Amino acid sequence: MKPVTLTTLREMKQRGEKIACLTAYDASFAAALDAAGVDLIMVGDSLGMVVQGHDSTLPVTLADMIYHTRCVRRGSQRAFIVTDLPFMSYASSAQALGNAARLMQEGGAHMVKLEGGAWLADTVHELTQRGMPVCAHLGLLPQSVHQLGGYRVQGRDVSSAQTLLSDARALEQAGAGLLVLECVPDTLAQQITQALKLPVIGIGAGAHCDGQVLVLHDVLGLTPKPPKFSKNFLHDAADIPSAARAYVSAVKAGEFPAPEHSFQ
Ligand code: KIV
C-alpha cells in the first residue's frame, strides 16, 4: 500500500476524487480504517469528549495528543495522519513551533491542525517554513465554544461568510496545506472550496468540499445525540470494517453527505 501524502491529496482534488477521512484515537481502529481505504486519519481533540468523557475539547493536553497519535501511527500503514494542536497550545508562534514539533517527532503526526482565522497566518507561515505541514480549521471552532456561545452553524450572514472566505485565503497564502471547514452552509463551503487550491475537508459543510471527515464514534452509532451532519454507518453494516468501507464508498461516490446532513 502506497502511503498517502499531501501531494496525493492535492492530486485527488485536482482530478475531483473525493478524500475520505475519519477520526481515530488508537491502533486497532486506525488499522481498520486504513484497511477500509480511509485516506486521512485525524487524531482530533474530539477525543476529549468521545474517549475521555469531557463535555468539550478544552481539557485535552499536548501529552494526550502525543499519546493517541503514537497509538494511531502504530496501527496505520497508508493513511495521512493529521493531529490537533490542543487548546492554547499555539497561542504564540513560538509555542506552536515547539508543540507541533513534539506532535510530529514524538507522536509521528504527518501534519498538525489548528483552529482559527487570519490571526494564525504568521504561525502557519513559521510552521510550514520549518517543514511542519499545517491543516487550518475554520467555521465552527470547538476550542472556542465558549466564545461562540455554543456549537452553532457559522457563516450564515454576509459579513461572517466574507470573513470566512478571506480567512481561508489568508491561511492558504500563509502556507496551509489543508483546510477543515466545520458547520457552514453548503453554498459557502462550495465557494471556499472553489476559491482555494488546497484540499478542503468538510464536516457539516455539504457535499461540495474536496473530502469529508466525521468523528468515528458518530459513524459507529456510539453518540447518544449525534449531530445532524453525521450518519451511523454501522446501522446497515455487519461489522466495524464493513461500516468503514461503506463510509469510504459513500464519500467517494458523492452519496454522503446527503442534503439532510447539510446546512443551508
Ligand atoms: O477534533 C476533531 O475530531 C476534529 C475533526 C472532526 C475535524 O477537529
Side-chain angles (χ1 to χ4, degrees):
M1 281 193 296
K2 211 171 155 217
V4 176
T5 65
L6 203 44
T7 308
T8 320
L9 300 172
R10 278 198 212 108
E11 288 169 354
M12 288 170 79
K13 172 166 182 140
Q14 279 158 14
R15 59 174 187 267
E17 180 183 341
K18 297 282 185 190
I19 301 166
C21 321
L22 282 173
T23 67
Y25 316 100
D26 69 31
S28 302
F29 279 104
L33 301 191
D34 221 59
V38 168
D39 303 303
L40 187 158
I41 295 178
M42 278 191 194
V43 188
D45 60 359
S46 51
L47 69 87
M49 299 168 88
V50 299
V51 175
Q52 298 175 334
H54 296 295
D55 63 0
S56 78
T57 61
L58 274 64
V60 177
T61 65
L62 188 76
D64 295 334
M65 297 310 297
I66 293 171
Y67 170 79
H68 286 281
T69 306
R70 227 185 250 154
C71 296
V72 165
R73 252 317 277 276
R74 282 189 208 117
S76 156
Q77 315 261 304
R78 175 183 172 270
F80 191 67
I81 298 172
V82 180
T83 296
D84 270 329
L85 274 159
F87 179 61
M88 287 301 286
S89 68
Y90 51 98
S92 68
S93 291
Q95 206 190 3
L97 287 175
N99 290 333
R102 290 193 62 196
L103 288 178
M104 295 185 71
Q105 202 164 35
E106 298 172 40
H110 297 133
M111 178 180 238
V112 299
K113 177 161 84 58
L114 31 74
E115 299 182 7
W119 68 272
L120 280 169
D122 287 347
T123 300
V124 170
H125 181 72
E126 300 256 334
L127 287 165
T128 52
Q129 284 295 300
R130 285 161 180 80
M132 293 186 272
V134 177
C135 175
H137 184 149
L138 289 172
L140 171 56
L141 308 179
Q143 292 175 11
S144 304
V145 60
H146 301 305
Q147 177 88 5
L148 295 172
Y151 297 98
R152 298 158 196 268
V153 180
Q154 304 294 308
R156 274 199 153 137
D157 59 83
V158 175
S159 131
S160 62
Q162 278 170 352
T163 305
L164 278 176
L165 178 57
S166 65
D167 279 349
R169 285 199 163 111
L171 292 163
E172 175 168 67
Q173 183 71 27
L178 289 177
L179 170 67
V180 166
L181 259 189
E182 178 161 356
C183 287
V184 300
D186 203 338
T187 47
L188 175 60
Q190 181 174 21
Q191 199 188 350
I192 294 174
T193 303
Q194 285 170 354
L196 303 182
K197 288 202 174 62
L198 59 75
V200 176
I201 312 297
I203 172 162
H208 302 290
C209 298
D210 302 306
Q212 299 293 328
V213 63
L214 285 178
V215 170
L216 181 63
H217 292 56
D218 294 345
V219 168
L220 300 181
L222 284 169
T223 313
K225 282 192 196 154
K228 165 189 157 85
F229 57 75
S230 73
K231 180 173 170 185
N232 177 353
F233 281 85
L234 189 55
H235 192 262
D236 296 319
D239 50 27
I240 290 172
S242 315
R245 281 195 297 274
Y247 170 77
V248 171
S249 15
V251 169
K252 299 270 177 197
E255 290 161 2
F256 178 83
E260 69 263 28
H261 306 116
S262 309
F263 302 104
Q264 301 312 318

